[in-house]
Amino acid sequence: LGNRRFLMDRLAQETERANRKQAPFTLGILDVDWFKTINDRFGHLEGDRALVAFAQAVKNQLRAATPWADWAAKSLACCCR
């Protein structure tokens, strides 16, 4: 799982590639609803574990080459061709 800077660099590369090849790409942003409730009810350590489990579930559904990253406090983003 990359960080926001990693994804911003990849987005720049994908935008350049898309413009050069006239080919679209998709930026997907996944938001974890009710995440604050998890932190409030179970604590930040469990909240972190929940995010890791969510990230792993997403990773298992994407191609290995798909770049994705922690986008914000409770969001993940991926860039797909």
Side-chain angles (χ1 to χ4, degrees):
L1 180 65
N3 60 20
R4 188 180 179 111
R5 175 185 243 168
F6 162 79
L7 192 64
M8 294 300 289
D9 290 344
R10 289 300 299 264
L11 283 173
Q13 293 170 5
E14 289 299 325
T15 299
E16 182 180 314
R17 179 187 175 282
N19 289 336
R20 188 176 64 249
K21 296 190 177 243
Q22 296 296 298
F25 72 92
T26 300
L27 171 63
I29 298 177
L30 307 170
D31 186 66
V32 181
D33 284 337
W34 302 103
F35 185 71
K36 184 177 180 325
T37 304
I38 294 170
N39 276 342
D40 290 348
R41 185 169 181 192
F42 301 105
H44 289 277
L45 182 59
E46 287 303 315
D48 289 348
R49 288 182 180 146
L51 275 181
V52 168
F54 177 72
Q56 187 63 48
V58 171
K59 181 181 178 183
N60 290 342
Q61 299 303 312
L62 297 174
R63 295 177 307 145
T66 300
W68 64 296
D70 180 17
W71 186 251
K74 59 179 185 133
S75 300
L76 303 174
C78 64
C79 182
C80 305
R81 291 186 195 165

